[in-house]
Amino acid sequence: QVQLVESGGGSVQAGGSLRLSCAASGFIYSTKSVAWFRRAPGKEREGVAVIYSGTSITRYSDSVKGRFAITQDNAKTTVYLQMNSLKPEDTAVYYCAAKQSYGGGWWSLVESDFPYWGQGTQVTVSS
């Protein structure tokens, strides 16, 4: 049974940093794509970053490029989202999502492409 457990949310002032963690377990094969999505109040869920575990290649949305970094640990079981230069508009519930992947389509940030989801963690950025 696949499980994704997020941690690391909280409150920070604009310009500050936070790091989110997503611990993944239960995958049959180690190669997977893991993404971070977020849902701000009154908005649709938005994909912000994705990493392919096989090569650690990454992709970011334009809204976070240059400020956020997605990485994975050596065991490829935990994915991190380092968020720097945070802005009030980054306030949202952040979700970790994952899918088994063998390379093709690893870059997707489409919500419906991911069958596995974490419970979400709140990030609040005050001005």
Side-chain angles (χ1 to χ4, degrees):
Q1 200 127 357
V2 173
Q3 278 194 312
L4 302 176
V5 179
E6 300 127 332
S7 60
S11 298
V12 66
Q13 288 195 323
S17 299
L18 282 174
R19 189 175 83 155
L20 307 181
S21 299
C22 173
S25 61
F27 281 92
I28 297 174
Y29 303 104
S30 62
T31 52
K32 55 189 174 291
S33 287
V34 181
W36 287 96
F37 288 76
R38 67 185 182 186
R39 178 176 280 150
K43 295 188 177 180
E44 293 189 352
R45 193 146 56 180
E46 168 197 20
V48 298
V50 59
I51 186 168
Y52 173 55
S53 68
T55 60
S56 295
I57 193 170
T58 60
R59 179 194 171 202
Y60 299 92
S61 67
D62 289 343
S63 59
V64 306
K65 198 175 295 182
R67 300 187 298 121
F68 290 12
I70 186 170
T71 59
Q72 62 180 349
D73 68 350
N74 289 337
K76 301 181 181 181
T77 58
T78 301
V79 169
Y80 305 97
L81 185 68
Q82 178 67 42
M83 306 184 293
N84 300 324
S85 301
L86 282 162
K87 305 174 181 179
E89 51 263 45
D90 294 318
T91 294
V93 178
Y94 283 71
Y95 299 89
C96 175
K99 62 178 181 178
Q100 201 79 67
S101 176
Y102 307 99
W106 71 266
W107 57 83
S108 172
L109 282 173
V110 175
E111 185 177 346
S112 59
D113 286 345
F114 291 83
Y116 308 111
W117 291 82
Q119 78 284 1
T121 185
Q122 177 71 46
V123 171
T124 302
V125 184
S126 57
S127 57

